Amino acid sequence: MTAAVETVAPRAARPSAGPWRQALRRLARNRSAMIAAAGLVLIVLACALAPVYAGSIAHTDPFTSNASGTAVVNGARVPVLAQSTEGLGLGVTPIGPTWNPGSFFLGADNQGRDVMARLLYGGRNSLMIGLSSAALCCVLATLLGVLAGYFGGWIDAVLSRFFDVIWAFPVYLLAICLSVVLLTSGLHVGPIHIDAGSLALPVVIIALIYVPYVARPLRGQVIALRNKEFLHAAVGLGASDLRIMRREVLPNVLPTVVVFLPLMTALNMLTESALSFLSVGVQSPDASWGTIINDGLALLYTRPAITIAAGLCVGLTAVALNVLGDGVRDALDPNARLRGGA
């Protein structure tokens, strides 16, 4: 009697997840990064809904002076700007926070404008400038860093001296000087034409001053890659320089660029807020968190909610971006687990 032999077909091996998918899984397990990302999403959504709040809830125009307006507080109609009773009685005092979303939730500024509506609109500009300038900075820095690190020679020498010249100036001093000059005449270089007062102007200024801070690390990383065997193999196969940079070098420096993006967004947003606070950033009638802090400076002792609210928005957003950036760095770093990362 012969026993039947049952053969089992071998199961096909499951393909391993790619490096980007593995990094995403590690990031999803990082609780701090996920909490920061959730908070950042809430801030972005709130700012994106600024027109809905101003038009459908508060029924106000945050960019128009409302000196003669009135508001209902506890059933009584009161002026938005009341005559000051302090000192000699000169000037006006804006209405304070009513905690009513439909009417001056955070009070009014010295022109009678709704602070909450301006805070949401200002957040849109601050976030847009921070993210746009960070993206532009990373693109320019990647291009220049890869060119300098890959070709070396006179190209590296010229670009490195360019980085040194920008690096020689204090960041905020250089940004203020460029802003003061360009706010009067705009930027007109070749096909690039940006009018004075445009929101694109602080984007370009902030992006340019931080290029060396991103390009330098990328240049060093590319120089280290030049000695790798896979790069020598590509050269031996006759691949062109453009193909090697696009297919071999760029994918290896891209994780570093991705890590830089949220960190530079936070840094650029803080720089924009500082410039706007000094009146050389976002210009009226546009608003940003920096201009709102400046607006509330004269009312710091009587209506501190204006400055405190804008300052908290800047601080919380910067913290969320930095925590998220740290999480992205640990997720993309294969040695993160050895350091106790996610």
Side-chain angles (χ1 to χ4, degrees):
M1 182 176 179
T2 60
V5 179
E6 183 179 357
T7 59
V8 179
R11 294 182 179 180
R14 178 181 296 180
S16 59
W20 289 104
R21 182 171 295 179
Q22 292 178 5
L24 189 61
R25 290 175 180 173
R26 285 195 292 267
L27 180 63
R29 292 195 296 268
N30 189 328
R31 293 184 179 179
S32 299
M34 290 296 97
I35 293 174
L40 190 61
V41 168
L42 290 177
I43 293 173
V44 171
L45 285 178
C47 294
L49 295 175
V52 176
Y53 175 83
S56 302
I57 299 176
H59 304 287
T60 184
D61 184 356
F63 303 106
T64 302
S65 178
N66 188 28
S68 59
T70 59
V72 177
V73 180
N74 297 327
R77 185 167 294 276
V78 297
V80 175
L81 297 179
Q83 188 69 30
S84 178
T85 58
E86 298 180 0
L88 298 176
L90 301 177
V92 293
T93 301
I95 188 175
T98 64
W99 310 120
N100 177 13
S103 178
F104 297 96
F105 181 76
L106 291 176
D109 61 9
N110 52 10
Q111 295 186 36
R113 299 172 297 192
D114 192 306
V115 173
M116 185 63 186
R118 285 182 61 80
L119 193 70
L120 296 179
Y121 271 102
R124 295 177 62 174
N125 290 334
S126 292
L127 291 171
M128 184 276 293
I129 293 174
L131 181 59
S132 300
S133 59
L136 179 60
C137 175
C138 289
V139 170
L140 293 176
T142 302
L143 176 62
L144 298 179
V146 169
L147 290 176
Y150 181 81
F151 288 107
W154 68 269
I155 297 179
D156 184 23
V158 170
L159 291 177
S160 295
R161 298 297 77 76
F162 170 71
F163 298 153
D164 291 340
V165 168
I166 298 180
W167 221 333
F169 293 91
V171 171
Y172 285 98
L173 180 60
L174 179 60
I176 291 171
C177 292
L178 291 175
S179 298
V180 170
V181 172
L182 296 179
L183 279 176
T184 58
S185 59
L187 180 62
H188 304 281
V189 179
I192 301 175
H193 297 280
I194 302 176
D195 296 330
S198 171
L199 291 178
L201 204 54
V203 170
V204 174
I205 293 173
I206 296 173
L208 289 179
I209 63 175
Y210 284 117
V211 164
Y213 295 85
V214 180
R216 281 285 192 181
L218 296 179
R219 169 185 172 272
Q221 190 173 356
V222 174
I223 291 176
L225 287 173
R226 287 195 309 184
N227 299 321
K228 298 295 184 180
E229 293 181 355
F230 69 90
L231 215 62
H232 292 307
V235 173
L237 292 174
S240 63
D241 291 331
L242 181 60
R243 180 178 176 83
I244 292 175
M245 287 189 291
R246 182 170 56 88
R247 299 294 297 272
E248 307 295 341
V249 176
L250 190 59
N252 282 278
V253 301
L254 192 58
T256 304
V257 178
V258 172
V259 171
F260 267 117
L261 186 60
L263 301 177
M264 292 306 300
T265 300
L267 183 59
N268 292 1
M269 189 189 65
L270 291 173
T271 304
E272 179 276 323
S273 296
L275 293 177
S276 297
F277 176 77
L278 297 173
S279 302
V280 291
V282 175
Q283 299 298 301
S284 181
D286 293 312
S288 77
W289 285 334
T291 61
I292 295 173
I293 295 176
N294 188 19
D295 292 340
L297 191 62
L299 303 169
L300 188 59
Y301 295 104
T302 57
R303 295 291 181 260
I306 302 174
T307 302
I308 292 175
L312 283 176
C313 288
V314 173
L316 291 176
T317 305
V319 169
L321 285 167
N322 277 282
V323 172
L324 179 60
D326 289 341
V328 172
R329 178 201 61 199
D330 292 339
L332 291 173
D333 187 352
N335 298 319
R337 292 182 180 179
L338 299 179
R339 300 197 310 271

